[in-house]
Amino acid sequence: MAGLTGHPVLEIGDKFEELQNNIFNNNKNKEVIDKAGLVVKGEENSNNNNNNQGGERDMAPPTSNSLHRSGSRPQLDLSKAAIQGNSEERDPTILLPNQSDDISHFALDIGGSLIKLVYFSRHEGQSIDDKRKKTVKEISNGSRRSYPILGGRLHFVKFETSKLNECLDFISSKQLHNGRIDSHYWNSEAPNKENAVIKATGGGAYKFADLFKERLGVSIDKEDEMDCLVAGANFLLKAIRHEAFTHMEGHKEFVQIDHNDLFPYLLVNVGSGVSMIKVDGDGKFQRVSGTNVGGGTYWGLGRLLTKCNSFDELLELSQRGDNRTIDMLVGDIYGGMDYSKIGLSASTIASSFGKAISDKKELEDHRPEDISLSLLRMISYNIGQISYLNALRFGLKRIFFGGFFIRGHAYTMDTISFAVHFWSQGQAQAMFLRHEGFLGALGAFMSYEKLGLDDLMVHQLVERFPMGAPYTGGKIHGPPLGNLNEKISWMEKFVLKGTEITAPVPMAPPGTTGLGGFEVPSSKGGTLRSDASALNVGVLHLVPTLEVFPLLANPKMYEPNTIDLSDHCELEYWFTVLSEHLPDLVDKAVASEGGTDDAKRRGDAFARAFSAHLARLMEEPAAYGKLGLANLLELREECLREFQFLDAYRSIKQRENEVSLAVLPDLLMELDRMDEEARLLTLIEGVLAANIFDWGSRACVDLYHKGTIIDIYRMSRNKMQRPWRVDDFDLFRERMLGSEGKKPRPHKRALLFVDNSGADVVLGMLPLARELLRRGTEVVLVANSLPALNDVTAMELPDIVAEAAKHCDILRRAAEAGGLLVDAMTNTLDGSKENCSSVPLMVVENGCGSPCIDLRQVSSELASAAKHADLIILEGMGRALHTNFNAWFKCEALKLAMVKNQRLAEKLIKGEIYDCVCRYEPAS
């Protein structure tokens, strides 16, 4: 074989092709292979899939219902929290992990207009024995639990108080009062609760106590309403990263609240009436003011004046209204002029409903839409002004508004924001909450003992946005869909017309409450009535095993996303990229499960669902919280998992790993013949060249259809001409090899964030890890917890390392020391096991299932491993360019990637596609 010195290219084409053919021909599954050696179509798992009837699958509950970040890690912990569910779902769901005690399972806030119910469901986490367990225990100093724990979710439902019987029916049908929900996931021997005591707040807790006892046999333990409101608000503001936001002139902007600097603030709860509460800390507050002009006033007067039948219908009317026909404006008084001397514009409302005095019209002569908007603005301005005056009274700059009057309604929030901004002359701002209506109910739920919710941290909450119900233009139409087959059936009824998505209006099944007591929207012609409730809240997963990466130089200033998607052109470009990649992704996902009819149905449903997400985000980029490219890519992966495509590139990864491992021994022998300096350059070139194998890149997918893997790798190595677009190799070489005859101190521990399967990890990162091990550096390979595209996962890496170790003493001894080879290899290369002392090679999961990584939420395994690390190597576009390119660390960092995206080349490094990035940064 030709040497790898000078400008190396692997000349192993013939040998590679022979090995590749042998591997594929001997494979038990008969796939059709394209000329790049990749699976196009197969019948894998066909027997299992064909046995499934009606879309039901003999497997664990879908991952959209429980965040299985790793089979070997405990799932969810009740001392931590997050949102799981459709972002458009009117009743969002919060996940609560680690609950093993038998608890009461629901709490209520029974107001004058609405009943808000929070209920808890739980499921058992799983613990899978794998080759990383020994490693994990060593890294974590034995502190990690190895037993299954119970976790669950918080669900949020609302009912009109006038329809209390529907609420009681719902509780009875779910068996919430007996603690039976999801009981097939619990200990079957757990006793059912009888004569349970449930927590409730609000006036209805007193008014309807006897009815709850009569209908359900439960006693109501009444919790103080203000206590619950404050407890619920404090929990959300401290625990959820994008809970609070401002809303001015239609623009939503999320505000990151430092939970250490949260207090004091003014909490304005707008229900039927309005309470204003000065909050100084957990459990420290006082009601300082209020007004009887609130949501009840708006609904009551609106019902009398417009004959609307529901609060939502009244809000919807306001969206089509023109208040100038009823309100007297400053311009009406001053001949169309501003009153600039006192800072009033001509469009400022001088008198709400003022024109009704002189226009000599009767009620029926006015449009209901105009009346609704005038009434809404009158009440909203009043609430905003009184709130600011109370904030001024106590010197508070931060005002949070909650309660079901606001309901995510743009006009309402804009009006309140305008009032606060106007009266404070821009010194104060109104902020709103995504879970605004459930503060009291959530606080009541938290009042149960032993929940452990008061220590929640933002990094332990993960928000997911499954397709919980069919929706059009981001609006929900119909009951939530929990069953996979139901979701697929609904998605099949969607009709795509460009970017517009329409669907028939579903009716609630007999005996159910549909949308929590609100009537199911009716179809009028070919259009659907929009939902006035526009707050987009997903489902909160509690993941206690997530931590902030301890090596971030400044966690508070850290922003993972390199690309700013608030730029509409940037957003449109990436949406186009994702849309164009979608057909290929669906093909791979369907092929990964044997191409069965069931897989095809799920693939089609996934495509429609993800297209609906993209359409919604194009309409309103802030719909799901602050949007970054990392969030967008993870949304795609979560959508795949929702339709039970657990690893769309599984077969492809296996083939690429086998082929790459077959040629690894020749590469290692060639590297060992080199001197130290040539070897280091060759290793870095190898990482950059192998990083070309990325199924997330459109350009690279095209390459796969033009040649074999080895052809692509050879082409990539030929492009390794220095200087690279970003070239800090000389600085890194000096740090590694020293200068002027001075040998540098070896690194103690290196974290290698690996990227793609196949050549990327086997021919790129493993040889680099081997070099560090040779120098006495502990190496931790950091990989995804869940599959994403063709990225290698932490569950797959031990097998890859074990295969590589068969041909290399260095890797074998390090893998044994790190616990990756649980059963020591009997046929070692040197024929003995006498000298097994070595620095360890370990594998940890990163805590995510995305091509990118947000270092504010990493696994506890990684956080523990990072504490003694002094070198970080981030590899790949997702981890080193799309995210973390601008991140600074407390230790040395090396960022390696090949640019495979035109926009990234143009915007980030001002280069071209296939340019290379080698960025070395000393410790901050």
Side-chain angles (χ1 to χ4, degrees):
M1 188 181 80
L4 289 173
T5 55
H7 198 64
V9 177
L10 281 180
E11 300 291 349
I12 55 176
D14 294 338
K15 183 174 181 179
F16 179 95
E17 297 296 347
E18 180 181 354
L19 288 165
Q20 185 182 36
N21 291 333
N22 289 337
I23 291 169
F24 293 153
N25 291 335
N26 292 330
N27 197 285
K28 294 180 181 179
N29 298 314
K30 303 297 185 181
E31 292 95 357
V32 178
I33 311 298
D34 68 8
K35 63 180 179 179
L38 301 172
V39 177
V40 176
K41 181 179 179 182
E43 298 182 4
E44 191 173 6
N45 298 329
S46 60
N47 292 335
N48 291 336
N49 286 325
N50 289 337
N51 290 332
N52 294 322
Q53 301 296 323
E56 298 295 334
R57 299 171 62 80
D58 182 18
M59 60 189 302
T63 54
S64 59
N65 292 334
S66 61
L67 188 63
H68 291 161
R69 292 210 167 247
S70 169
S72 65
R73 188 174 64 187
Q75 307 301 313
L76 312 176
D77 190 301
L78 233 208
S79 52
K80 325 284 174 183
I83 301 176
Q84 178 195 356
N86 189 342
S87 63
E88 302 300 327
E89 207 169 333
R90 299 209 296 192
D91 308 321
T93 302
I94 293 187
L95 196 70
L96 298 178
N98 195 27
Q99 174 57 39
S100 57
D101 296 328
D102 192 22
I103 63 169
S104 295
H105 296 287
F106 74 106
L108 297 157
D109 178 1
I110 311 175
S113 305
L114 293 170
I115 300 171
K116 285 78 67 177
L117 181 147
V118 175
Y119 71 90
F120 178 69
S121 67
R122 62 185 181 183
H123 57 271
E124 186 171 346
Q126 298 177 352
S127 180
I128 298 176
D129 190 12
D130 64 79
K131 293 182 181 181
R132 298 185 308 106
K133 184 169 291 186
K134 179 181 176 182
T135 304
V136 170
K137 288 182 178 178
E138 289 181 0
I139 291 176
S140 305
N141 296 320
S143 63
R144 181 173 173 272
R145 281 179 297 195
S146 60
Y147 54 86
I149 61 174
L150 294 176
R153 306 180 192 87
L154 278 181
H155 305 262
F156 298 80
V157 187
K158 64 180 181 290
F159 301 86
E160 295 179 36
T161 305
S162 61
K163 299 178 180 179
L164 174 62
N165 284 332
E166 289 194 2
C167 177
L168 295 171
D169 290 342
F170 178 83
I171 294 170
S172 180
S173 67
K174 291 281 189 181
Q175 290 288 292
L176 299 182
H177 56 307
N178 289 330
R180 288 179 181 170
I181 187 166
D182 289 347
S183 59
H184 58 289
Y185 290 132
W186 304 356
N187 182 349
S188 59
E189 298 180 359
N192 292 332
K193 289 192 171 187
E194 295 182 2
N195 301 317
V197 176
I198 62 170
K199 300 286 188 178
T201 189
Y206 298 87
K207 184 177 180 179
F208 301 115
D210 291 342
L211 186 57
F212 273 82
K213 184 69 174 178
E214 177 186 338
R215 286 283 307 274
L216 301 176
V218 298
S219 300
I220 289 182
D221 187 2
K222 304 167 187 69
E223 292 294 321
D224 180 77
E225 189 169 0
M226 294 298 128
D227 285 339
C228 292
L229 284 172
V230 172
N234 285 347
F235 163 75
L236 294 169
L237 289 169
K238 290 194 293 184
I240 302 176
R241 178 169 284 116
H242 295 140
E243 175 67 23
F245 61 92
T246 60
H247 202 288
M248 283 286 287
E249 298 180 353
H251 178 68
K252 180 189 294 183
E253 184 173 338
F254 289 90
V255 180
Q256 180 56 45
I257 306 297
D258 184 351
H259 70 273
N260 294 316
D261 189 33
L262 174 61
F263 309 109
Y265 67 85
L266 186 69
L267 175 63
V268 181
N269 188 65
V270 189
S272 299
V274 183
S275 289
M276 299 178 187
I277 308 164
K278 178 176 176 284
V279 183
D280 294 301
D282 290 318
K284 299 177 182 178
F285 64 91
Q286 66 177 127
R287 185 181 188 274
V288 295
S289 187
T291 171
N292 59 349
V293 180
T297 311
Y298 177 59
W299 192 350
L301 284 176
R303 190 168 185 274
L304 291 174
L305 296 174
T306 69
K307 308 303 181 184
C308 281
N309 294 318
S310 73
F311 195 98
D312 283 340
E313 187 180 351
L314 187 63
L315 275 178
E316 186 182 348
L317 275 181
S318 72
Q319 295 182 143
R320 304 192 298 270
D322 183 355
N323 67 302
R324 294 173 299 178
T325 64
I326 298 178
D327 292 342
M328 183 180 293
L329 309 181
V330 169
D332 295 327
I333 301 173
Y334 291 95
M337 304 292 289
D338 295 336
Y339 193 171
S340 55
K341 184 176 181 179
I342 58 174
L344 297 178
S345 68
S347 60
T348 301
I349 298 175
S351 175
S352 294
F353 289 88
K355 285 184 180 175
I357 301 172
S358 58
D359 61 11
K360 297 181 180 180
K361 292 181 180 179
E362 299 300 324
L363 178 60
E364 57 268 19
D365 296 325
H366 291 282
R367 295 173 67 236
E369 293 88 343
D370 301 339
I371 293 173
S372 177
L373 181 59
S374 178
L375 185 61
L376 177 67
R377 288 193 168 175
M378 178 183 76
I379 294 173
S380 298
Y381 278 138
N382 183 61
I383 293 171
Q385 182 178 6
I386 296 175
S387 299
Y388 167 66
L389 292 176
N390 277 281
L392 181 65
R393 173 184 169 198
F394 294 101
L396 305 175
K397 300 290 186 182
R398 198 176 281 160
I399 310 172
F400 295 104
F401 291 84
F404 262 115
F405 168 71
I406 297 166
R407 233 177 188 80
H409 192 250
Y411 284 168
T412 306
M413 294 187 290
D414 273 354
T415 305
I416 291 175
S417 296
F418 177 82
V420 171
H421 185 270
F422 177 83
W423 290 108
S424 70
Q425 297 181 340
Q427 296 302 303
Q429 60 180 179
M431 286 182 280
F432 305 93
L433 304 175
R434 297 174 70 198
H435 287 86
E436 57 184 9
F438 291 96
L439 302 184
L442 182 57
F445 183 84
M446 292 176 63
S447 67
Y448 287 113
E449 295 181 359
K450 299 181 181 179
L451 286 186
L453 293 172
D454 45 352
D455 294 326
L456 279 171
M457 304 292 286
V458 64
H459 58 265
Q460 293 158 339
L461 292 163
V462 180
E463 190 172 18
R464 302 294 179 210
F465 300 95
M467 187 68 64
Y471 61 90
T472 298
K475 306 299 188 289
I476 288 199
H477 302 281
L481 304 176
N483 178 276
L484 175 64
N485 201 43
E486 287 181 1
K487 290 185 182 182
I488 295 173
S489 297
W490 276 117
M491 295 313 301
E492 287 174 340
K493 295 176 183 177
F494 274 72
V495 180
L496 294 176
K497 297 179 179 178
T499 58
E500 182 182 357
I501 303 175
T502 60
V505 179
M507 297 301 294
T512 70
T513 57
L515 286 173
F518 285 107
E519 62 276 9
V520 175
S522 59
S523 179
K524 301 177 181 178
T527 62
L528 292 172
R529 182 176 72 83
S530 64
D531 182 358
S533 180
L535 277 187
N536 309 301
V537 185
V539 178
L540 278 182
H541 287 266
L542 264 49
V543 188
T545 50
L546 292 182
E547 300 182 28
V548 177
F549 189 58
L551 294 179
L552 286 173
N554 190 343
K556 290 184 178 180
M557 297 298 294
Y558 170 76
E559 169 55 47
N561 293 288
T562 306
I563 296 171
D564 183 10
L565 292 188
S566 63
D567 181 339
H568 183 77
C569 293
E570 199 73 55
L571 186 66
E572 188 173 12
Y573 170 81
W574 285 102
F575 278 15
T576 301
V577 169
L578 291 175
S579 298
E580 290 178 348
H581 184 249
L582 190 56
D584 183 75
L585 178 57
V586 172
D587 288 344
K588 296 297 184 294
V590 172
S592 74
E593 305 217 352
T596 62
D597 289 341
D598 171 67
K600 291 175 182 176
R601 284 188 69 216
R602 288 185 286 118
D604 183 64
F606 155 71
R608 295 180 186 276
F610 186 58
S611 295
H613 283 305
L614 293 180
R616 176 69 182 109
L617 290 169
M618 276 301 295
E619 176 188 350
E620 185 186 350
Y624 296 178
K626 186 177 180 182
L627 183 64
L629 185 56
N631 313 107
L632 195 57
L633 295 176
E634 187 158 16
L635 177 64
R636 177 184 61 188
E637 301 302 325
E638 287 295 329
C639 197
L640 273 170
R641 287 187 274 272
E642 182 180 1
F643 290 95
Q644 293 191 0
F645 293 108
L646 305 184
D647 192 352
Y649 286 79
R650 176 179 55 212
S651 299
I652 292 173
K653 291 192 295 182
Q654 289 172 350
R655 305 312 184 268
E656 291 190 349
N657 287 339
E658 289 171 353
V659 169
S660 301
L661 284 165
V663 299
L664 177 63
D666 291 329
L667 174 60
L668 297 183
M669 284 191 295
E670 201 64 33
L671 288 167
D672 288 342
R673 296 192 191 111
M674 298 179 185
D675 62 60
E676 204 173 35
E677 186 166 340
R679 185 167 65 243
L680 185 61
L681 175 60
T682 301
L683 287 166
I684 298 301
E685 287 180 335
V687 172
L688 293 172
N691 188 236
I692 198 172
F693 294 96
D694 188 347
W695 279 91
S697 164
R698 180 78 262 169
C700 293
V701 171
D702 292 340
L703 281 177
Y704 279 109
H705 298 291
K706 296 177 181 177
T708 64
I709 297 174
I710 192 60
D711 290 333
I712 300 170
Y713 185 64
R714 184 184 294 115
M715 179 274 295
S716 182
R717 293 299 296 258
N718 278 326
K719 286 182 172 289
M720 296 293 101
Q721 301 288 343
R722 295 186 64 201
W724 301 314
R725 180 59 58 175
V726 177
D727 193 342
D728 293 336
F729 173 77
D730 292 338
L731 292 175
F732 181 66
R733 179 190 58 200
E734 184 175 332
R735 168 61 183 89
M736 292 292 291
L737 305 181
S739 59
E740 299 178 356
K742 295 171 57 178
K743 281 287 185 182
R745 174 184 56 83
H747 294 96
K748 181 178 180 181
R749 175 179 288 176
L751 303 180
L752 274 60
F753 288 76
V754 297
D755 191 11
N756 306 302
S757 296
D760 198 356
V761 65
V762 175
L763 303 181
M765 291 297 275
L766 270 185
L768 180 59
R770 177 177 178 262
E771 181 68 18
L772 291 166
L773 292 167
R774 186 203 298 264
R775 295 172 178 276
T777 300
E778 297 179 357
V779 174
V780 180
L781 300 176
V782 184
N784 269 12
S785 301
L786 294 174
L789 293 174
N790 64 318
D791 289 356
V792 67
T793 68
M795 294 293 288
E796 296 163 344
L797 264 179
D799 288 335
I800 294 173
V801 172
E803 285 300 312
K806 292 178 180 178
H807 310 286
C808 175
D809 271 339
I810 296 174
L811 289 176
R812 176 180 55 78
R813 287 194 294 267
E816 288 176 354
L820 294 180
L821 302 182
V822 178
D823 300 319
M825 302 174 65
T826 56
N827 53 340
T828 56
L829 297 182
D830 57 5
S832 68
K833 294 192 287 184
E834 294 178 2
N835 184 17
C836 288
S837 60
S838 174
V839 290
L841 172 63
M842 298 166 281
V843 172
V844 301
E845 57 181 329
N846 57 23
C848 80
S850 166
C852 300
I853 186 169
D854 182 344
L855 293 174
R856 293 172 299 194
Q857 293 181 301
V858 302
S859 71
S860 57
E861 295 175 17
L862 174 54
S864 181
K867 292 176 182 177
H868 302 293
D870 50 3
L871 174 64
I872 294 171
I873 299 180
L874 286 159
E875 182 237 356
M877 283 206 307
R879 295 159 184 79
L881 297 184
H882 289 147
T883 53
N884 301 304
F885 187 68
N886 298 320
W888 288 92
F889 300 96
K890 297 177 182 177
C891 66
E892 299 171 51
L894 182 66
K895 300 170 185 178
L896 301 169
M898 176 176 284
V899 180
K900 297 159 298 225
N901 181 277
Q902 190 62 46
R903 193 74 164 192
L904 195 66
E906 294 171 356
K907 289 281 186 178
L908 182 60
I909 64 172
K910 296 179 174 58
E912 298 177 355
I913 194 167
Y914 301 128
D915 274 336
C916 293
V917 172
C918 175
R919 183 170 179 174
Y920 171 70
E921 299 160 354
S924 297

